[in-house]
Amino acid sequence: MKSTIQFIILFALWLLLTWSVQLADIIAGIVISILAVALMGDIFTGKMYRILNPIRLFWMVVYIPYLFLYIILANLDVAYRVINPAMPIRPGIVRFKTNLKSEIGKTFLANSITLTPGTLTVDIIGDEFFVHWINVRCDGDSEKQGEIIAGKFERILGRIFE
Amino acid sequence: MSDTIAHILISIGVLFDLLGCVGLVRLPDVYNRLQAATKCVTLGTCMILIGVLVLVGFNALGIKAVICMVFVLLTSPTSAHALARGSHKAGVPLWPDSVTDKYKERKGAEK
């Protein structure tokens, strides 16, 4: 079951990349997809099919434009700090706890944090996130910092992956 | 019309890439530089790829641009974590004016 889904995803990707329906290309795609699943299958997450649930899919569709909005804000923010001659930065590594449990949820949260304003995930230990923040606010209040950095994503990601 | 939009998108993308590079030069330490490198360069590259998509439409080239965008969005933050974590483990210090380093405290507590 798991391998089949992986095979279908990889093969679809191959078809999109080659963009041809000639027999030779398709056979090569099948062979390479099978090889990739056989060699690397363990690395892929096993529960990807859970995303096919319509409610999860709906939140995923909501999440992507939401993330894009924050990516654009992030860029304007960093661009402003870079251009400003005074360079208003106040960097530091802060720590906060997440309530997401699944590995893939944490992965998505970590990547979203990295892509959004002034924050970069350095490491995850258990449920603790260590985030480099270019402009630290609320010194010493780990919960509030977590809310500012991750709160907005956590709620949607919780609906998608938990 | 779509040519104009595509060229505007590509120009904005190049501008963000340029800002990312300025950030690489101006910001003080490796972690701050990674911030500029991941954010500006991710959006800049994505906008260039969207521009390519608008320019050529949904054909072999356009689809490749979309797939590249997905891969850039997935791999760029991941490589940034890897670089930041690796630098921290290798003992690269934070900028002296940094406010706090909870990660170091945690690592110190483990030892």
Side-chain angles (χ1 to χ4, degrees), chain A residues 73-120:
Chain A
L73 288 180
N75 275 276
L76 296 176
D77 180 70
V78 172
Y80 162 73
R81 287 179 204 286
V82 166
I83 298 174
N84 191 322
M87 241 185 359
I89 60 172
R90 199 162 172 270
I93 296 181
V94 299
R95 181 188 70 162
F96 64 89
K97 287 194 176 191
T98 175
N99 47 32
L100 294 176
K101 296 283 182 290
S102 63
E103 288 290 316
I104 183 154
K106 282 186 211 161
T107 310
F108 265 79
L109 182 60
N111 276 6
S112 306
I113 287 172
T114 301
L115 285 172
T116 50
T119 49
L120 183 143

mmCIF file of all heavy atoms in Angstrom, chain A residues 73-120:
data_model
loop_
_atom_site.group_PDB
_atom_site.id
_atom_site.type_symbol
_atom_site.label_atom_id
_atom_site.label_comp_id
_atom_site.label_asym_id
_atom_site.label_seq_id
_atom_site.Cartn_x
_atom_site.Cartn_y
_atom_site.Cartn_z
ATOM 1 N N LEU A 73 5.388 39.005 3.262
ATOM 2 C CA LEU A 73 5.644 39.906 4.390
ATOM 3 C C LEU A 73 7.063 39.709 4.907
ATOM 4 O O LEU A 73 7.770 40.672 5.207
ATOM 5 C CB LEU A 73 4.642 39.644 5.514
ATOM 6 C CG LEU A 73 3.208 40.104 5.265
ATOM 7 C CD1 LEU A 73 2.353 39.771 6.468
ATOM 8 C CD2 LEU A 73 3.183 41.597 5.007
ATOM 9 N N ALA A 74 7.486 38.428 4.993
ATOM 10 C CA ALA A 74 8.828 38.122 5.489
ATOM 11 C C ALA A 74 9.877 38.794 4.642
ATOM 12 O O ALA A 74 10.849 39.361 5.155
ATOM 13 C CB ALA A 74 9.052 36.607 5.468
ATOM 14 N N ASN A 75 9.668 38.757 3.338
ATOM 15 C CA ASN A 75 10.651 39.327 2.439
ATOM 16 C C ASN A 75 10.731 40.826 2.580
ATOM 17 O O ASN A 75 11.817 41.395 2.625
ATOM 18 C CB ASN A 75 10.303 38.966 1.009
ATOM 19 C CG ASN A 75 10.858 37.629 0.665
ATOM 20 O OD1 ASN A 75 12.005 37.529 0.305
ATOM 21 N ND2 ASN A 75 10.077 36.597 0.852
ATOM 22 N N LEU A 76 9.558 41.483 2.687
ATOM 23 C CA LEU A 76 9.586 42.935 2.843
ATOM 24 C C LEU A 76 10.286 43.287 4.146
ATOM 25 O O LEU A 76 11.080 44.228 4.207
ATOM 26 C CB LEU A 76 8.156 43.484 2.806
ATOM 27 C CG LEU A 76 7.457 43.269 1.461
ATOM 28 C CD1 LEU A 76 6.019 43.739 1.532
ATOM 29 C CD2 LEU A 76 8.194 43.990 0.350
ATOM 30 N N ASP A 77 10.023 42.492 5.189
ATOM 31 C CA ASP A 77 10.625 42.735 6.498
ATOM 32 C C ASP A 77 12.147 42.622 6.426
ATOM 33 O O ASP A 77 12.874 43.521 6.849
ATOM 34 C CB ASP A 77 10.048 41.708 7.476
ATOM 35 C CG ASP A 77 10.602 41.877 8.863
ATOM 36 O OD1 ASP A 77 10.255 42.883 9.499
ATOM 37 O OD2 ASP A 77 11.384 41.021 9.306
ATOM 38 N N VAL A 78 12.638 41.501 5.874
ATOM 39 C CA VAL A 78 14.088 41.304 5.808
ATOM 40 C C VAL A 78 14.715 42.327 4.871
ATOM 41 O O VAL A 78 15.771 42.897 5.180
ATOM 42 C CB VAL A 78 14.426 39.863 5.364
ATOM 43 C CG1 VAL A 78 15.911 39.731 5.113
ATOM 44 C CG2 VAL A 78 13.994 38.877 6.421
ATOM 45 N N ALA A 79 14.038 42.628 3.752
ATOM 46 C CA ALA A 79 14.567 43.606 2.811
ATOM 47 C C ALA A 79 14.724 44.963 3.495
ATOM 48 O O ALA A 79 15.741 45.633 3.344
ATOM 49 C CB ALA A 79 13.633 43.728 1.608
ATOM 50 N N TYR A 80 13.720 45.324 4.320
ATOM 51 C CA TYR A 80 13.783 46.598 5.044
ATOM 52 C C TYR A 80 14.987 46.617 5.987
ATOM 53 O O TYR A 80 15.737 47.584 6.044
ATOM 54 C CB TYR A 80 12.482 46.798 5.817
ATOM 55 C CG TYR A 80 12.571 47.816 6.913
ATOM 56 C CD1 TYR A 80 12.638 49.172 6.624
ATOM 57 C CD2 TYR A 80 12.601 47.407 8.241
ATOM 58 C CE1 TYR A 80 12.736 50.097 7.631
ATOM 59 C CE2 TYR A 80 12.701 48.337 9.256
ATOM 60 C CZ TYR A 80 12.768 49.677 8.949
ATOM 61 O OH TYR A 80 12.869 50.593 9.956
ATOM 62 N N ARG A 81 15.187 45.515 6.711
ATOM 63 C CA ARG A 81 16.309 45.480 7.655
ATOM 64 C C ARG A 81 17.649 45.541 6.935
ATOM 65 O O ARG A 81 18.627 46.082 7.442
ATOM 66 C CB ARG A 81 16.248 44.214 8.502
ATOM 67 C CG ARG A 81 15.148 44.264 9.510
ATOM 68 C CD ARG A 81 15.074 43.008 10.332
ATOM 69 N NE ARG A 81 13.731 42.862 10.849
ATOM 70 C CZ ARG A 81 13.245 43.590 11.843
ATOM 71 N NH1 ARG A 81 14.002 44.492 12.427
ATOM 72 N NH2 ARG A 81 12.010 43.422 12.249
ATOM 73 N N VAL A 82 17.698 44.930 5.742
ATOM 74 C CA VAL A 82 18.961 44.884 5.004
ATOM 75 C C VAL A 82 19.303 46.258 4.432
ATOM 76 O O VAL A 82 20.439 46.707 4.478
ATOM 77 C CB VAL A 82 18.867 43.830 3.877
ATOM 78 C CG1 VAL A 82 20.005 43.989 2.908
ATOM 79 C CG2 VAL A 82 18.881 42.435 4.461
ATOM 80 N N ILE A 83 18.274 46.960 3.896
ATOM 81 C CA ILE A 83 18.541 48.235 3.227
ATOM 82 C C ILE A 83 18.780 49.352 4.238
ATOM 83 O O ILE A 83 19.617 50.206 4.034
ATOM 84 C CB ILE A 83 17.358 48.620 2.312
ATOM 85 C CG1 ILE A 83 17.191 47.574 1.232
ATOM 86 C CG2 ILE A 83 17.599 49.959 1.661
ATOM 87 C CD1 ILE A 83 15.973 47.819 0.393
ATOM 88 N N ASN A 84 18.025 49.319 5.344
ATOM 89 C CA ASN A 84 18.123 50.382 6.345
ATOM 90 C C ASN A 84 19.576 50.542 6.819
ATOM 91 O O ASN A 84 20.184 49.589 7.283
ATOM 92 C CB ASN A 84 17.239 49.993 7.533
ATOM 93 C CG ASN A 84 17.056 51.137 8.484
ATOM 94 O OD1 ASN A 84 17.987 51.896 8.725
ATOM 95 N ND2 ASN A 84 15.854 51.269 9.009
ATOM 96 N N PRO A 85 20.132 51.743 6.690
ATOM 97 C CA PRO A 85 21.544 51.934 7.059
ATOM 98 C C PRO A 85 21.823 51.612 8.519
ATOM 99 O O PRO A 85 22.906 51.149 8.861
ATOM 100 C CB PRO A 85 21.789 53.420 6.780
ATOM 101 C CG PRO A 85 20.659 53.861 5.935
ATOM 102 C CD PRO A 85 19.514 52.963 6.190
ATOM 103 N N ALA A 86 20.828 51.807 9.397
ATOM 104 C CA ALA A 86 21.053 51.546 10.816
ATOM 105 C C ALA A 86 20.966 50.048 11.145
ATOM 106 O O ALA A 86 21.346 49.623 12.223
ATOM 107 C CB ALA A 86 20.026 52.313 11.636
ATOM 108 N N MET A 87 20.477 49.242 10.212
ATOM 109 C CA MET A 87 20.308 47.802 10.395
ATOM 110 C C MET A 87 19.651 47.445 11.739
ATOM 111 O O MET A 87 20.313 47.012 12.663
ATOM 112 C CB MET A 87 21.643 47.086 10.282
ATOM 113 C CG MET A 87 21.621 46.115 9.154
ATOM 114 S SD MET A 87 23.037 45.070 8.929
ATOM 115 C CE MET A 87 24.199 45.494 10.148
ATOM 116 N N PRO A 88 18.325 47.666 11.865
ATOM 117 C CA PRO A 88 17.671 47.420 13.148
ATOM 118 C C PRO A 88 17.486 45.929 13.433
ATOM 119 O O PRO A 88 16.407 45.381 13.246
ATOM 120 C CB PRO A 88 16.315 48.116 12.966
ATOM 121 C CG PRO A 88 16.069 48.049 11.504
ATOM 122 C CD PRO A 88 17.395 48.044 10.823
ATOM 123 N N ILE A 89 18.536 45.268 13.861
ATOM 124 C CA ILE A 89 18.369 43.846 14.190
ATOM 125 C C ILE A 89 18.704 43.605 15.648
ATOM 126 O O ILE A 89 19.482 44.331 16.260
ATOM 127 C CB ILE A 89 19.235 42.927 13.288
ATOM 128 C CG1 ILE A 89 20.701 43.253 13.427
ATOM 129 C CG2 ILE A 89 18.779 43.001 11.846
ATOM 130 C CD1 ILE A 89 21.584 42.264 12.711
ATOM 131 N N ARG A 90 18.079 42.568 16.193
ATOM 132 C CA ARG A 90 18.241 42.233 17.605
ATOM 133 C C ARG A 90 18.179 40.710 17.689
ATOM 134 O O ARG A 90 17.223 40.139 18.183
ATOM 135 C CB ARG A 90 17.070 42.853 18.366
ATOM 136 C CG ARG A 90 17.309 43.000 19.842
ATOM 137 C CD ARG A 90 16.330 43.999 20.441
ATOM 138 N NE ARG A 90 16.472 43.962 21.884
ATOM 139 C CZ ARG A 90 15.766 43.142 22.672
ATOM 140 N NH1 ARG A 90 14.860 42.350 22.181
ATOM 141 N NH2 ARG A 90 15.979 43.153 23.974
ATOM 142 N N PRO A 91 19.196 40.045 17.156
ATOM 143 C CA PRO A 91 19.081 38.597 16.960
ATOM 144 C C PRO A 91 19.295 37.794 18.228
ATOM 145 O O PRO A 91 19.882 38.262 19.188
ATOM 146 C CB PRO A 91 20.187 38.297 15.951
ATOM 147 C CG PRO A 91 21.196 39.350 16.172
ATOM 148 C CD PRO A 91 20.485 40.563 16.683
ATOM 149 N N GLY A 92 18.818 36.559 18.182
ATOM 150 C CA GLY A 92 19.001 35.653 19.303
ATOM 151 C C GLY A 92 18.305 34.344 18.996
ATOM 152 O O GLY A 92 17.490 34.273 18.083
ATOM 153 N N ILE A 93 18.648 33.281 19.755
ATOM 154 C CA ILE A 93 17.964 32.001 19.551
ATOM 155 C C ILE A 93 16.986 31.805 20.706
ATOM 156 O O ILE A 93 17.387 31.821 21.864
ATOM 157 C CB ILE A 93 18.971 30.843 19.472
ATOM 158 C CG1 ILE A 93 19.862 31.030 18.246
ATOM 159 C CG2 ILE A 93 18.243 29.518 19.394
ATOM 160 C CD1 ILE A 93 20.879 29.938 18.067
ATOM 161 N N VAL A 94 15.701 31.671 20.381
ATOM 162 C CA VAL A 94 14.699 31.487 21.421
ATOM 163 C C VAL A 94 14.176 30.051 21.377
ATOM 164 O O VAL A 94 14.416 29.314 20.427
ATOM 165 C CB VAL A 94 13.517 32.468 21.262
ATOM 166 C CG1 VAL A 94 14.000 33.895 21.354
ATOM 167 C CG2 VAL A 94 12.798 32.233 19.951
ATOM 168 N N ARG A 95 13.466 29.682 22.432
ATOM 169 C CA ARG A 95 12.970 28.315 22.541
ATOM 170 C C ARG A 95 11.483 28.372 22.861
ATOM 171 O O ARG A 95 11.047 29.222 23.640
ATOM 172 C CB ARG A 95 13.702 27.621 23.686
ATOM 173 C CG ARG A 95 13.297 26.197 23.889
ATOM 174 C CD ARG A 95 13.939 25.696 25.135
ATOM 175 N NE ARG A 95 13.314 26.342 26.298
ATOM 176 C CZ ARG A 95 13.423 25.858 27.537
ATOM 177 N NH1 ARG A 95 14.150 24.810 27.776
ATOM 178 N NH2 ARG A 95 12.811 26.463 28.541
ATOM 179 N N PHE A 96 10.694 27.497 22.222
ATOM 180 C CA PHE A 96 9.293 27.385 22.638
ATOM 181 C C PHE A 96 8.813 25.971 22.372
ATOM 182 O O PHE A 96 9.452 25.213 21.662
ATOM 183 C CB PHE A 96 8.412 28.413 21.924
ATOM 184 C CG PHE A 96 8.339 28.235 20.442
ATOM 185 C CD1 PHE A 96 7.374 27.430 19.889
ATOM 186 C CD2 PHE A 96 9.245 28.872 19.607
ATOM 187 C CE1 PHE A 96 7.304 27.265 18.514
ATOM 188 C CE2 PHE A 96 9.181 28.709 18.244
ATOM 189 C CZ PHE A 96 8.206 27.893 17.694
ATOM 190 N N LYS A 97 7.687 25.626 22.990
ATOM 191 C CA LYS A 97 7.154 24.273 22.829
ATOM 192 C C LYS A 97 6.009 24.283 21.840
ATOM 193 O O LYS A 97 5.249 25.242 21.773
ATOM 194 C CB LYS A 97 6.659 23.752 24.172
ATOM 195 C CG LYS A 97 7.808 23.425 25.066
ATOM 196 C CD LYS A 97 7.377 22.610 26.261
ATOM 197 C CE LYS A 97 8.614 22.282 27.012
ATOM 198 N NZ LYS A 97 8.812 21.459 27.984
ATOM 199 N N THR A 98 5.886 23.207 21.090
ATOM 200 C CA THR A 98 4.770 23.083 20.151
ATOM 201 C C THR A 98 3.822 22.035 20.682
ATOM 202 O O THR A 98 4.210 21.165 21.462
ATOM 203 C CB THR A 98 5.275 22.690 18.764
ATOM 204 O OG1 THR A 98 4.147 22.481 17.928
ATOM 205 C CG2 THR A 98 6.084 21.427 18.796
ATOM 206 N N ASN A 99 2.555 22.096 20.244
ATOM 207 C CA ASN A 99 1.652 21.013 20.630
ATOM 208 C C ASN A 99 1.362 20.076 19.467
ATOM 209 O O ASN A 99 0.513 19.210 19.565
ATOM 210 C CB ASN A 99 0.354 21.570 21.229
ATOM 211 C CG ASN A 99 -0.204 22.682 20.393
ATOM 212 O OD1 ASN A 99 -0.040 22.664 19.178
ATOM 213 N ND2 ASN A 99 -0.839 23.654 21.024
ATOM 214 N N LEU A 100 2.086 20.246 18.352
ATOM 215 C CA LEU A 100 1.953 19.279 17.264
ATOM 216 C C LEU A 100 2.695 18.009 17.655
ATOM 217 O O LEU A 100 3.777 18.062 18.225
ATOM 218 C CB LEU A 100 2.548 19.838 15.975
ATOM 219 C CG LEU A 100 1.855 21.037 15.349
ATOM 220 C CD1 LEU A 100 2.620 21.522 14.147
ATOM 221 C CD2 LEU A 100 0.447 20.673 14.943
ATOM 222 N N LYS A 101 2.109 16.848 17.308
ATOM 223 C CA LYS A 101 2.732 15.591 17.707
ATOM 224 C C LYS A 101 3.435 14.888 16.545
ATOM 225 O O LYS A 101 4.491 14.297 16.719
ATOM 226 C CB LYS A 101 1.667 14.642 18.286
ATOM 227 C CG LYS A 101 1.037 15.155 19.556
ATOM 228 C CD LYS A 101 1.969 14.971 20.756
ATOM 229 C CE LYS A 101 1.303 15.457 22.022
ATOM 230 N NZ LYS A 101 1.176 16.939 22.023
ATOM 231 N N SER A 102 2.817 14.933 15.358
ATOM 232 C CA SER A 102 3.334 14.102 14.275
ATOM 233 C C SER A 102 4.604 14.696 13.685
ATOM 234 O O SER A 102 4.805 15.909 13.685
ATOM 235 C CB SER A 102 2.274 13.947 13.185
ATOM 236 O OG SER A 102 1.999 15.198 12.629
ATOM 237 N N GLU A 103 5.476 13.800 13.203
ATOM 238 C CA GLU A 103 6.750 14.233 12.638
ATOM 239 C C GLU A 103 6.533 15.154 11.449
ATOM 240 O O GLU A 103 7.190 16.189 11.310
ATOM 241 C CB GLU A 103 7.552 13.006 12.170
ATOM 242 C CG GLU A 103 8.119 12.179 13.297
ATOM 243 C CD GLU A 103 9.240 12.914 14.015
ATOM 244 O OE1 GLU A 103 10.082 13.496 13.307
ATOM 245 O OE2 GLU A 103 9.256 12.915 15.249
ATOM 246 N N ILE A 104 5.593 14.788 10.576
ATOM 247 C CA ILE A 104 5.415 15.573 9.356
ATOM 248 C C ILE A 104 4.835 16.943 9.693
ATOM 249 O O ILE A 104 5.200 17.951 9.090
ATOM 250 C CB ILE A 104 4.578 14.806 8.317
ATOM 251 C CG1 ILE A 104 4.480 15.609 7.033
ATOM 252 C CG2 ILE A 104 3.200 14.473 8.814
ATOM 253 C CD1 ILE A 104 4.258 14.801 5.823
ATOM 254 N N GLY A 105 3.968 17.001 10.705
ATOM 255 C CA GLY A 105 3.438 18.283 11.136
ATOM 256 C C GLY A 105 4.553 19.193 11.616
ATOM 257 O O GLY A 105 4.615 20.373 11.266
ATOM 258 N N LYS A 106 5.471 18.617 12.417
ATOM 259 C CA LYS A 106 6.591 19.420 12.926
ATOM 260 C C LYS A 106 7.484 19.875 11.779
ATOM 261 O O LYS A 106 7.986 20.999 11.785
ATOM 262 C CB LYS A 106 7.417 18.592 13.901
ATOM 263 C CG LYS A 106 6.784 18.478 15.261
ATOM 264 C CD LYS A 106 7.744 17.781 16.193
ATOM 265 C CE LYS A 106 7.013 16.989 17.233
ATOM 266 N NZ LYS A 106 7.882 15.982 17.856
ATOM 267 N N THR A 107 7.681 18.975 10.805
ATOM 268 C CA THR A 107 8.519 19.345 9.665
ATOM 269 C C THR A 107 7.932 20.538 8.934
ATOM 270 O O THR A 107 8.636 21.508 8.621
ATOM 271 C CB THR A 107 8.626 18.165 8.681
ATOM 272 O OG1 THR A 107 8.977 17.013 9.406
ATOM 273 C CG2 THR A 107 9.651 18.445 7.612
ATOM 274 N N PHE A 108 6.607 20.470 8.682
ATOM 275 C CA PHE A 108 5.961 21.575 7.975
ATOM 276 C C PHE A 108 6.036 22.855 8.804
ATOM 277 O O PHE A 108 6.293 23.929 8.270
ATOM 278 C CB PHE A 108 4.502 21.228 7.667
ATOM 279 C CG PHE A 108 4.314 20.666 6.291
ATOM 280 C CD1 PHE A 108 4.626 19.345 6.031
ATOM 281 C CD2 PHE A 108 3.851 21.457 5.259
ATOM 282 C CE1 PHE A 108 4.483 18.831 4.765
ATOM 283 C CE2 PHE A 108 3.698 20.945 3.999
ATOM 284 C CZ PHE A 108 4.014 19.629 3.740
ATOM 285 N N LEU A 109 5.829 22.728 10.111
ATOM 286 C CA LEU A 109 5.879 23.916 10.961
ATOM 287 C C LEU A 109 7.279 24.521 10.906
ATOM 288 O O LEU A 109 7.433 25.739 10.763
ATOM 289 C CB LEU A 109 5.501 23.542 12.394
ATOM 290 C CG LEU A 109 5.476 24.702 13.371
ATOM 291 C CD1 LEU A 109 4.472 25.745 12.938
ATOM 292 C CD2 LEU A 109 5.151 24.226 14.771
ATOM 293 N N ALA A 110 8.308 23.659 10.993
ATOM 294 C CA ALA A 110 9.687 24.155 10.984
ATOM 295 C C ALA A 110 9.980 24.880 9.674
ATOM 296 O O ALA A 110 10.561 25.978 9.669
ATOM 297 C CB ALA A 110 10.658 23.004 11.175
ATOM 298 N N ASN A 111 9.550 24.289 8.562
ATOM 299 C CA ASN A 111 9.812 24.925 7.271
ATOM 300 C C ASN A 111 9.030 26.225 7.135
ATOM 301 O O ASN A 111 9.555 27.205 6.603
ATOM 302 C CB ASN A 111 9.444 23.978 6.126
ATOM 303 C CG ASN A 111 10.563 23.023 5.811
ATOM 304 O OD1 ASN A 111 11.569 22.996 6.522
ATOM 305 N ND2 ASN A 111 10.419 22.253 4.765
ATOM 306 N N SER A 112 7.790 26.245 7.631
ATOM 307 C CA SER A 112 6.996 27.474 7.552
ATOM 308 C C SER A 112 7.647 28.570 8.383
ATOM 309 O O SER A 112 7.710 29.720 7.956
ATOM 310 C CB SER A 112 5.585 27.229 8.059
ATOM 311 O OG SER A 112 5.009 26.151 7.384
ATOM 312 N N ILE A 113 8.146 28.197 9.568
ATOM 313 C CA ILE A 113 8.801 29.191 10.422
ATOM 314 C C ILE A 113 10.011 29.771 9.703
ATOM 315 O O ILE A 113 10.240 30.978 9.708
ATOM 316 C CB ILE A 113 9.221 28.552 11.757
ATOM 317 C CG1 ILE A 113 8.002 28.297 12.628
ATOM 318 C CG2 ILE A 113 10.201 29.445 12.498
ATOM 319 C CD1 ILE A 113 8.311 27.504 13.861
ATOM 320 N N THR A 114 10.776 28.901 9.055
ATOM 321 C CA THR A 114 11.969 29.392 8.366
ATOM 322 C C THR A 114 11.600 30.358 7.249
ATOM 323 O O THR A 114 12.315 31.329 6.998
ATOM 324 C CB THR A 114 12.769 28.217 7.799
ATOM 325 O OG1 THR A 114 13.127 27.372 8.880
ATOM 326 C CG2 THR A 114 14.021 28.690 7.096
ATOM 327 N N LEU A 115 10.478 30.100 6.570
ATOM 328 C CA LEU A 115 10.118 30.945 5.437
ATOM 329 C C LEU A 115 9.464 32.257 5.844
ATOM 330 O O LEU A 115 9.263 33.124 5.008
ATOM 331 C CB LEU A 115 9.176 30.187 4.501
ATOM 332 C CG LEU A 115 9.835 29.108 3.645
ATOM 333 C CD1 LEU A 115 8.786 28.308 2.914
ATOM 334 C CD2 LEU A 115 10.795 29.717 2.655
ATOM 335 N N THR A 116 9.104 32.413 7.119
ATOM 336 C CA THR A 116 8.329 33.590 7.499
ATOM 337 C C THR A 116 9.136 34.582 8.338
ATOM 338 O O THR A 116 10.242 34.277 8.725
ATOM 339 C CB THR A 116 7.062 33.169 8.246
ATOM 340 O OG1 THR A 116 7.457 32.277 9.261
ATOM 341 C CG2 THR A 116 6.079 32.522 7.323
ATOM 342 N N PRO A 117 8.551 35.768 8.630
ATOM 343 C CA PRO A 117 9.329 36.928 9.042
ATOM 344 C C PRO A 117 10.414 36.687 10.077
ATOM 345 O O PRO A 117 10.131 36.337 11.220
ATOM 346 C CB PRO A 117 8.270 37.868 9.628
ATOM 347 C CG PRO A 117 7.049 37.513 8.921
ATOM 348 C CD PRO A 117 7.129 36.049 8.644
ATOM 349 N N GLY A 118 11.646 36.886 9.666
ATOM 350 C CA GLY A 118 12.764 36.978 10.590
ATOM 351 C C GLY A 118 13.050 35.790 11.473
ATOM 352 O O GLY A 118 13.723 35.916 12.475
ATOM 353 N N THR A 119 12.527 34.625 11.124
ATOM 354 C CA THR A 119 12.756 33.472 11.991
ATOM 355 C C THR A 119 13.337 32.317 11.212
ATOM 356 O O THR A 119 13.035 32.136 10.034
ATOM 357 C CB THR A 119 11.444 33.011 12.647
ATOM 358 O OG1 THR A 119 10.458 32.913 11.631
ATOM 359 C CG2 THR A 119 10.991 33.970 13.705
ATOM 360 N N LEU A 120 14.185 31.517 11.873
ATOM 361 C CA LEU A 120 14.846 30.399 11.202
ATOM 362 C C LEU A 120 14.995 29.258 12.205
ATOM 363 O O LEU A 120 15.610 29.432 13.256
ATOM 364 C CB LEU A 120 16.220 30.876 10.717
ATOM 365 C CG LEU A 120 17.087 29.934 9.915
ATOM 366 C CD1 LEU A 120 17.807 30.731 8.851
ATOM 367 C CD2 LEU A 120 18.118 29.255 10.768
#
